[in-house]
Amino acid sequence: MSAYSTTPLQELDGIITPNGLFYERHHAGVPEIDPQQHRLMIHGLVKNPMIFDMAELRQFPSESHIYFLECSGNPSFLPPYGKTAAEVTGLVSCAQWTGVRLKTLLDHAGLASKAKWVVAEGADGAGMTRSIPIEKCLDDVLVAFSQNGERLRPEQGYPIRLFVPGFEGNMSIKWLRRLHVTDQPGHTREETAKYTDLMADGRAREFSFVMECKSIITFPSGSQRLTRKGTHEMRGIAWSGRGKITGVDVSIDGGNNWSTAILQEPVLSKALTSFRAPFDWDGKELMLMSRAIDETGYVQPTLTQLIAVRGKFSFYHNNAIQPWRISASGEVTNGRA
Ligand SMILES: Nc1nc2c(c(=O)[nH]1)N[C@H]1C(S)=C(S)[C@@H](COP(=O)(O)O)O[C@H]1N2
Ligand SMILES: [Mo]
């Protein structure tokens, strides 16, 4: 089993990723967990430390929400650049998640006044451990047990995973077994050796949580082909970890001119949003681009703009505009290569 698999974005329509095509990333394999034996512990800065079995968890009030999940290395800044949409940004998917709000469980355990962070730990070989600020934990974080109506698949964290909407995928700890409430972040391996951004001055930025606004054209995209001249429909997806997508601009001339794409309802906060725009192809070379804008007014940057801010050493959090070249013969290739 490979350490990751991507979602075939260029083959899908709509905003819901079928469970069998959801991207998958694990650092030390997929553990086989008996739900009868599995427990979730909440301890640390709480009035009543607790251990829940899975049946107890399902007796709390639950909620369902549609959210995207994206790995922060999607793609990294390093070549080789992918050929297809899946190879470029296939580490993003979107599903309807059902679970108990973490706030509900924390309220139940009773937070101490000093509680500032929750350090979440998985029951896999990696013992994946990440620190989440208490404000986020009391906001929209879920302890999820279902995805698109069915119980989580083993690869997605069965029987329970943390789901941290809009934050880098790594924080949505799968096979969740422990929530340690603390007054400090854990500064765990995953937030020191990895998942930090090395800046131009040699210092590393820790805790770059939010997945910034991004989009990708899925048709026409790399490895596809236009077989007739005339009007075509450009299609794609956009998303932002900060909330709703408010617009997507598209260009066919490499970003010199932009027009406005049509957004397909529903447009949901921290979920994929589909967009469409007609364009003409008369057999000349084109360079297709999309740039998304979110409700904070943030505009998806070019790679040049991103590198100007971050320097050349960044690895994670590349949300740059993705160009696709259409050749005179109709072949679509990565405009970056
Ligand atoms: N316990 C545990 N949780 C984990 C991981 C892991 O290896 N172990 N991988 C993380 C990473 S890097 C990502 S991007 C997401 C992927 O979730 P998915 O496989 O459901 O798409 O899970 C995160 N949670
Ligand atoms: Mo990831």
Side-chain angles (χ1 to χ4, degrees):
M1 199 183 294
S2 158
Y4 74 92
S5 63
T6 56
T7 293
L9 299 173
Q10 67 277 10
E11 308 295 346
L12 299 181
D13 294 300
I15 63 168
I16 299 294
T17 312
N19 288 346
L21 298 176
F22 204 89
Y23 91 87
E24 179 208 338
R25 170 79 178 105
H26 51 83
H27 291 65
V30 174
E32 219 170 89
I33 292 179
D34 177 353
Q36 304 293 337
Q37 302 297 320
H38 193 68
R39 300 288 184 271
L40 174 63
M41 174 163 80
I42 302 185
H43 70 131
L45 295 173
V46 289
K47 291 177 190 111
N48 310 301
M50 302 203 149
I51 294 176
F52 302 103
D53 65 29
M54 299 303 100
E56 284 165 344
L57 272 185
R58 286 188 63 94
Q59 291 168 46
F60 283 95
S62 60
E63 293 181 13
S64 300
H65 297 275
I66 297 175
Y67 292 128
F68 78 82
L69 184 69
E70 185 182 20
C71 181
S72 51
N74 186 42
S76 82
F77 281 86
L78 306 176
Y81 303 118
K83 287 192 175 68
T84 64
E87 285 172 21
V88 175
T89 78
L91 294 175
V92 66
S93 306
C94 186
Q96 187 190 46
W97 305 94
T98 302
V100 180
R101 268 198 195 232
L102 178 53
K103 179 181 191 308
T104 306
L105 300 179
L106 292 175
D107 285 350
H108 199 72
L111 285 179
S113 57
K114 279 194 191 142
K116 289 281 177 298
W117 293 80
V118 174
V119 183
E121 179 188 77
D124 54 337
M128 184 64 58
T129 307
R130 289 294 308 257
S131 315
I132 302 139
I134 200 73
E135 298 75 30
K136 182 71 175 173
C137 294
L138 296 175
D139 182 16
D140 53 6
V141 176
L142 295 174
V143 173
F145 36 72
S146 287
Q147 178 179 347
N148 292 332
E150 61 180 23
R151 296 297 176 88
L152 296 174
R153 296 193 174 196
E155 297 79 6
Q156 260 69 51
Y158 183 80
I160 50 167
R161 80 178 302 164
L162 204 61
F163 195 91
V164 187
F167 279 22
E168 60 184 4
N170 187 258
M171 303 178 72
S172 286
I173 299 293
K174 301 191 277 189
W175 313 293
L176 181 69
R177 72 172 171 200
R178 188 155 78 104
L179 296 165
H180 187 198
V181 182
T182 60
D183 58 355
Q184 311 250 344
H187 299 292
T188 68
R189 176 176 175 273
E190 256 60 47
E191 41 207 36
T192 52
K194 304 172 93 188
Y195 300 101
T196 62
D197 304 304
L198 188 55
M199 306 301 282
D201 64 3
R203 290 183 305 157
R205 187 174 71 165
E206 199 184 14
F207 303 135
S208 33
F209 296 140
V210 177
M211 298 309 294
E212 298 287 359
C213 181
K214 186 160 166 182
S215 66
I216 186 162
I217 297 165
T218 52
F219 181 86
S221 63
S223 298
Q224 293 173 338
R225 192 158 179 253
L226 298 187
T227 58
R228 59 160 177 84
K229 293 176 188 173
T231 302
H232 288 268
E233 183 178 74
M234 204 190 296
R235 297 187 272 273
I237 44 173
W239 62 98
S240 167
R242 295 200 188 270
K244 287 186 184 180
I245 291 295
T246 51
V248 177
D249 298 330
V250 294
S251 172
I252 59 170
D253 59 6
N256 290 318
N257 294 284
W258 295 92
S259 58
T260 307
I262 297 156
L263 301 186
Q264 167 75 60
E265 294 290 331
V267 177
L268 302 170
S269 183
K270 301 170 192 168
L272 293 186
T273 297
S274 303
F275 66 87
R276 298 192 179 88
F279 73 101
D280 289 317
W281 181 62
D282 63 3
K284 292 204 193 74
E285 185 174 307
L286 298 180
M287 189 68 87
L288 269 45
M289 292 180 170
S290 64
R291 86 178 164 203
I293 301 131
D294 72 16
E295 63 178 284
T296 69
Y298 177 96
V299 181
Q300 185 183 359
T302 64
L303 187 60
T304 314
Q305 288 169 333
L306 206 53
I307 289 173
V309 176
R310 299 261 194 86
K312 288 187 196 143
F313 308 124
S314 267
F315 179 85
Y316 302 101
H317 292 277
N318 175 0
N319 65 323
I321 290 172
Q322 169 59 37
W324 298 117
R325 179 184 292 107
I326 303 184
S327 74
S329 60
E331 310 285 341
V332 189
T333 54
N334 193 334
R336 187 150 286 148

Short mmCIF file of all heavy atoms in Angstrom, two decimals, residues 40-52 102-119 134 137-138 178-183:
data_model
loop_
_atom_site.label_atom_id
_atom_site.label_comp_id
_atom_site.label_asym_id
_atom_site.label_seq_id
_atom_site.Cartn_x
_atom_site.Cartn_y
_atom_site.Cartn_z
N LEU A 40 -11.61 6.57 23.23
CA LEU A 40 -11.11 7.94 23.12
C LEU A 40 -10.95 8.51 24.52
O LEU A 40 -11.92 8.54 25.30
CB LEU A 40 -12.09 8.81 22.30
CG LEU A 40 -11.72 10.30 22.24
CD1 LEU A 40 -10.37 10.52 21.55
CD2 LEU A 40 -12.81 11.11 21.55
N MET A 41 -9.73 8.97 24.81
CA MET A 41 -9.46 9.53 26.15
C MET A 41 -9.34 11.05 26.05
O MET A 41 -8.69 11.56 25.14
CB MET A 41 -8.16 8.93 26.69
CG MET A 41 -7.72 9.56 28.00
SD MET A 41 -6.51 8.56 28.89
CE MET A 41 -5.02 8.96 28.03
N ILE A 42 -9.96 11.76 26.98
CA ILE A 42 -9.77 13.21 27.12
C ILE A 42 -9.20 13.45 28.50
O ILE A 42 -9.80 13.05 29.51
CB ILE A 42 -11.10 13.98 26.97
CG1 ILE A 42 -11.75 13.68 25.61
CG2 ILE A 42 -10.87 15.49 27.12
CD1 ILE A 42 -13.01 14.49 25.33
N HIS A 43 -8.02 14.07 28.55
CA HIS A 43 -7.38 14.30 29.86
C HIS A 43 -6.56 15.57 29.83
O HIS A 43 -6.58 16.29 28.83
CB HIS A 43 -6.53 13.07 30.26
CG HIS A 43 -5.30 12.90 29.42
ND1 HIS A 43 -4.05 12.68 29.95
CD2 HIS A 43 -5.13 12.92 28.07
CE1 HIS A 43 -3.17 12.57 28.98
NE2 HIS A 43 -3.79 12.70 27.84
N GLY A 44 -5.85 15.86 30.92
CA GLY A 44 -5.08 17.10 31.00
C GLY A 44 -5.87 18.16 31.75
O GLY A 44 -6.42 17.87 32.82
N LEU A 45 -5.96 19.35 31.16
CA LEU A 45 -6.59 20.48 31.85
C LEU A 45 -8.12 20.43 31.73
O LEU A 45 -8.76 21.31 31.15
CB LEU A 45 -6.04 21.80 31.29
CG LEU A 45 -4.54 22.01 31.57
CD1 LEU A 45 -4.03 23.25 30.85
CD2 LEU A 45 -4.27 22.11 33.08
N VAL A 46 -8.69 19.35 32.28
CA VAL A 46 -10.15 19.21 32.33
C VAL A 46 -10.56 18.83 33.75
O VAL A 46 -9.76 18.23 34.48
CB VAL A 46 -10.67 18.12 31.34
CG1 VAL A 46 -10.55 18.58 29.91
CG2 VAL A 46 -9.96 16.79 31.54
N LYS A 47 -11.79 19.18 34.10
CA LYS A 47 -12.26 18.87 35.45
C LYS A 47 -12.48 17.37 35.62
O LYS A 47 -12.18 16.81 36.66
CB LYS A 47 -13.54 19.65 35.73
CG LYS A 47 -13.22 21.14 35.84
CD LYS A 47 -14.44 22.02 36.05
CE LYS A 47 -14.04 23.48 35.89
NZ LYS A 47 -14.59 24.11 34.68
N ASN A 48 -13.03 16.72 34.57
CA ASN A 48 -13.30 15.28 34.64
C ASN A 48 -12.65 14.56 33.47
O ASN A 48 -13.23 14.52 32.39
CB ASN A 48 -14.81 15.02 34.57
CG ASN A 48 -15.58 15.88 35.56
OD1 ASN A 48 -15.34 15.80 36.76
ND2 ASN A 48 -16.45 16.72 35.05
N PRO A 49 -11.47 13.99 33.66
CA PRO A 49 -10.88 13.19 32.57
C PRO A 49 -11.84 12.06 32.21
O PRO A 49 -12.54 11.54 33.09
CB PRO A 49 -9.59 12.64 33.21
CG PRO A 49 -9.33 13.49 34.40
CD PRO A 49 -10.64 13.99 34.88
N MET A 50 -11.90 11.72 30.92
CA MET A 50 -12.91 10.75 30.49
C MET A 50 -12.35 9.78 29.47
O MET A 50 -11.45 10.12 28.72
CB MET A 50 -14.06 11.47 29.81
CG MET A 50 -14.69 12.48 30.71
SD MET A 50 -16.35 12.82 30.19
CE MET A 50 -17.06 13.17 31.77
N ILE A 51 -12.91 8.57 29.47
CA ILE A 51 -12.61 7.60 28.42
C ILE A 51 -13.94 7.14 27.84
O ILE A 51 -14.81 6.66 28.57
CB ILE A 51 -11.82 6.40 28.99
CG1 ILE A 51 -10.44 6.88 29.45
CG2 ILE A 51 -11.69 5.31 27.94
CD1 ILE A 51 -9.60 5.81 30.11
N PHE A 52 -14.12 7.36 26.53
CA PHE A 52 -15.37 7.00 25.86
C PHE A 52 -15.17 5.75 25.01
O PHE A 52 -14.15 5.63 24.33
CB PHE A 52 -15.82 8.09 24.89
CG PHE A 52 -16.03 9.44 25.53
CD1 PHE A 52 -15.09 10.45 25.39
CD2 PHE A 52 -17.19 9.70 26.26
CE1 PHE A 52 -15.30 11.69 25.97
CE2 PHE A 52 -17.40 10.95 26.83
CZ PHE A 52 -16.45 11.95 26.69
N LEU A 102 -16.39 18.63 18.79
CA LEU A 102 -15.39 18.49 19.85
C LEU A 102 -15.80 19.34 21.05
O LEU A 102 -15.61 18.95 22.21
CB LEU A 102 -14.00 18.90 19.31
CG LEU A 102 -12.86 18.85 20.31
CD1 LEU A 102 -12.76 17.50 21.00
CD2 LEU A 102 -11.54 19.19 19.63
N LYS A 103 -16.42 20.51 20.78
CA LYS A 103 -16.87 21.38 21.87
C LYS A 103 -17.81 20.64 22.82
O LYS A 103 -17.73 20.81 24.05
CB LYS A 103 -17.59 22.60 21.28
CG LYS A 103 -18.12 23.55 22.33
CD LYS A 103 -18.85 24.73 21.72
CE LYS A 103 -19.16 25.83 22.73
NZ LYS A 103 -19.86 25.37 23.93
N THR A 104 -18.68 19.81 22.26
CA THR A 104 -19.63 19.05 23.07
C THR A 104 -18.88 18.15 24.06
O THR A 104 -19.23 18.07 25.25
CB THR A 104 -20.54 18.20 22.16
OG1 THR A 104 -21.13 19.06 21.18
CG2 THR A 104 -21.62 17.49 22.94
N LEU A 105 -17.83 17.48 23.57
CA LEU A 105 -17.07 16.56 24.43
C LEU A 105 -16.25 17.34 25.46
O LEU A 105 -16.14 16.93 26.62
CB LEU A 105 -16.16 15.68 23.57
CG LEU A 105 -16.88 14.79 22.55
CD1 LEU A 105 -15.86 13.99 21.75
CD2 LEU A 105 -17.87 13.85 23.24
N LEU A 106 -15.67 18.47 25.02
CA LEU A 106 -14.85 19.28 25.94
C LEU A 106 -15.73 19.89 27.03
O LEU A 106 -15.33 19.94 28.20
CB LEU A 106 -14.09 20.36 25.18
CG LEU A 106 -12.99 19.86 24.22
CD1 LEU A 106 -12.40 21.02 23.43
CD2 LEU A 106 -11.89 19.10 24.97
N ASP A 107 -16.93 20.33 26.65
CA ASP A 107 -17.87 20.87 27.65
C ASP A 107 -18.23 19.78 28.67
O ASP A 107 -18.34 20.04 29.87
CB ASP A 107 -19.16 21.36 26.98
CG ASP A 107 -18.97 22.68 26.25
OD1 ASP A 107 -17.91 23.30 26.44
OD2 ASP A 107 -19.87 23.07 25.48
N HIS A 108 -18.40 18.56 28.15
CA HIS A 108 -18.75 17.43 28.99
C HIS A 108 -17.64 17.14 30.01
O HIS A 108 -17.91 16.88 31.19
CB HIS A 108 -18.97 16.21 28.10
CG HIS A 108 -19.74 15.13 28.73
ND1 HIS A 108 -21.08 15.22 28.98
CD2 HIS A 108 -19.35 13.90 29.18
CE1 HIS A 108 -21.49 14.11 29.56
NE2 HIS A 108 -20.46 13.29 29.69
N ALA A 109 -16.39 17.23 29.54
CA ALA A 109 -15.25 16.98 30.43
C ALA A 109 -14.99 18.19 31.33
O ALA A 109 -14.40 18.05 32.41
CB ALA A 109 -14.01 16.63 29.61
N GLY A 110 -15.41 19.37 30.90
CA GLY A 110 -15.23 20.59 31.70
C GLY A 110 -13.82 21.15 31.57
O GLY A 110 -12.89 20.68 32.24
N LEU A 111 -13.63 22.18 30.74
CA LEU A 111 -12.30 22.74 30.53
C LEU A 111 -11.85 23.53 31.75
O LEU A 111 -12.62 24.29 32.33
CB LEU A 111 -12.31 23.68 29.32
CG LEU A 111 -12.35 23.04 27.93
CD1 LEU A 111 -12.37 24.13 26.87
CD2 LEU A 111 -11.15 22.10 27.73
N ALA A 112 -10.58 23.37 32.11
CA ALA A 112 -9.98 24.22 33.13
C ALA A 112 -9.70 25.59 32.50
O ALA A 112 -9.58 25.69 31.28
CB ALA A 112 -8.69 23.59 33.64
N SER A 113 -9.60 26.64 33.33
CA SER A 113 -9.46 27.98 32.76
C SER A 113 -8.14 28.15 32.01
O SER A 113 -8.04 28.98 31.12
CB SER A 113 -9.61 29.03 33.86
OG SER A 113 -8.64 28.79 34.85
N LYS A 114 -7.13 27.35 32.35
CA LYS A 114 -5.82 27.47 31.68
C LYS A 114 -5.75 26.75 30.33
O LYS A 114 -4.72 26.82 29.66
CB LYS A 114 -4.73 26.87 32.58
CG LYS A 114 -4.27 27.79 33.68
CD LYS A 114 -2.97 27.22 34.27
CE LYS A 114 -2.59 27.95 35.54
NZ LYS A 114 -2.04 27.00 36.53
N ALA A 115 -6.81 26.05 29.97
CA ALA A 115 -6.78 25.25 28.73
C ALA A 115 -6.63 26.14 27.51
O ALA A 115 -7.45 27.04 27.27
CB ALA A 115 -8.06 24.42 28.63
N LYS A 116 -5.57 25.93 26.73
CA LYS A 116 -5.31 26.76 25.55
C LYS A 116 -5.14 25.93 24.27
O LYS A 116 -5.27 26.44 23.17
CB LYS A 116 -4.03 27.59 25.76
CG LYS A 116 -4.17 28.72 26.77
CD LYS A 116 -4.88 29.90 26.12
CE LYS A 116 -5.14 31.04 27.09
NZ LYS A 116 -6.01 30.67 28.21
N TRP A 117 -4.75 24.67 24.41
CA TRP A 117 -4.49 23.81 23.26
C TRP A 117 -5.05 22.41 23.52
O TRP A 117 -5.16 21.99 24.67
CB TRP A 117 -2.97 23.66 23.01
CG TRP A 117 -2.30 24.92 22.58
CD1 TRP A 117 -1.92 25.95 23.39
CD2 TRP A 117 -1.94 25.30 21.24
NE1 TRP A 117 -1.34 26.94 22.62
CE2 TRP A 117 -1.34 26.56 21.31
CE3 TRP A 117 -2.06 24.68 19.99
CZ2 TRP A 117 -0.87 27.23 20.17
CZ3 TRP A 117 -1.58 25.33 18.87
CH2 TRP A 117 -1.00 26.59 18.96
N VAL A 118 -5.35 21.71 22.42
CA VAL A 118 -5.68 20.29 22.52
C VAL A 118 -4.69 19.55 21.65
O VAL A 118 -4.54 19.86 20.46
CB VAL A 118 -7.12 20.00 22.08
CG1 VAL A 118 -7.38 18.50 22.04
CG2 VAL A 118 -8.12 20.68 23.02
N VAL A 119 -3.95 18.61 22.25
CA VAL A 119 -2.98 17.82 21.50
C VAL A 119 -3.64 16.47 21.19
O VAL A 119 -3.97 15.70 22.09
CB VAL A 119 -1.68 17.64 22.31
CG1 VAL A 119 -0.64 16.88 21.49
CG2 VAL A 119 -1.11 19.01 22.71
N ILE A 134 -7.32 26.13 21.20
CA ILE A 134 -8.61 25.86 21.85
C ILE A 134 -9.76 26.60 21.15
O ILE A 134 -10.88 26.09 21.07
CB ILE A 134 -8.55 26.19 23.37
CG1 ILE A 134 -9.67 25.48 24.12
CG2 ILE A 134 -8.57 27.68 23.63
CD1 ILE A 134 -9.48 24.02 24.29
N CYS A 137 -10.91 24.45 18.49
CA CYS A 137 -11.57 23.25 19.06
C CYS A 137 -12.99 23.56 19.52
O CYS A 137 -13.86 22.70 19.46
CB CYS A 137 -10.76 22.71 20.24
SG CYS A 137 -9.15 22.09 19.74
N LEU A 138 -13.21 24.79 19.99
CA LEU A 138 -14.54 25.17 20.48
C LEU A 138 -15.41 25.71 19.36
O LEU A 138 -16.56 26.06 19.56
CB LEU A 138 -14.41 26.21 21.61
CG LEU A 138 -13.70 25.71 22.87
CD1 LEU A 138 -13.51 26.84 23.88
CD2 LEU A 138 -14.46 24.53 23.50
N ARG A 178 -6.65 9.92 21.56
CA ARG A 178 -6.34 10.71 22.76
C ARG A 178 -6.41 12.19 22.47
O ARG A 178 -5.94 12.65 21.42
CB ARG A 178 -4.92 10.36 23.22
CG ARG A 178 -4.55 10.96 24.55
CD ARG A 178 -3.47 10.13 25.21
NE ARG A 178 -2.15 10.37 24.66
CZ ARG A 178 -1.21 11.09 25.26
NH1 ARG A 178 -1.46 11.69 26.41
NH2 ARG A 178 -0.02 11.22 24.70
N LEU A 179 -7.02 12.94 23.39
CA LEU A 179 -7.07 14.39 23.33
C LEU A 179 -6.51 14.92 24.65
O LEU A 179 -7.13 14.74 25.70
CB LEU A 179 -8.51 14.87 23.13
CG LEU A 179 -9.17 14.44 21.81
CD1 LEU A 179 -10.68 14.64 21.87
CD2 LEU A 179 -8.58 15.21 20.63
N HIS A 180 -5.33 15.50 24.57
CA HIS A 180 -4.65 15.99 25.77
C HIS A 180 -4.82 17.50 25.82
O HIS A 180 -4.29 18.22 24.97
CB HIS A 180 -3.17 15.60 25.72
CG HIS A 180 -2.42 15.91 26.98
ND1 HIS A 180 -1.04 15.99 27.03
CD2 HIS A 180 -2.85 16.16 28.25
CE1 HIS A 180 -0.67 16.27 28.27
NE2 HIS A 180 -1.75 16.36 29.02
N VAL A 181 -5.57 17.99 26.81
CA VAL A 181 -5.83 19.43 26.91
C VAL A 181 -4.69 20.06 27.71
O VAL A 181 -4.37 19.62 28.82
CB VAL A 181 -7.19 19.69 27.59
CG1 VAL A 181 -7.48 21.18 27.65
CG2 VAL A 181 -8.32 18.96 26.85
N THR A 182 -4.05 21.06 27.11
CA THR A 182 -2.83 21.64 27.69
C THR A 182 -2.88 23.16 27.65
O THR A 182 -3.79 23.76 27.07
CB THR A 182 -1.59 21.19 26.88
OG1 THR A 182 -1.76 21.63 25.54
CG2 THR A 182 -1.42 19.68 26.88
N ASP A 183 -1.85 23.79 28.25
CA ASP A 183 -1.75 25.26 28.17
C ASP A 183 -0.73 25.68 27.12
O ASP A 183 -0.52 26.87 26.91
CB ASP A 183 -1.43 25.85 29.54
CG ASP A 183 -0.14 25.31 30.12
OD1 ASP A 183 0.46 24.40 29.51
OD2 ASP A 183 0.28 25.79 31.20
#
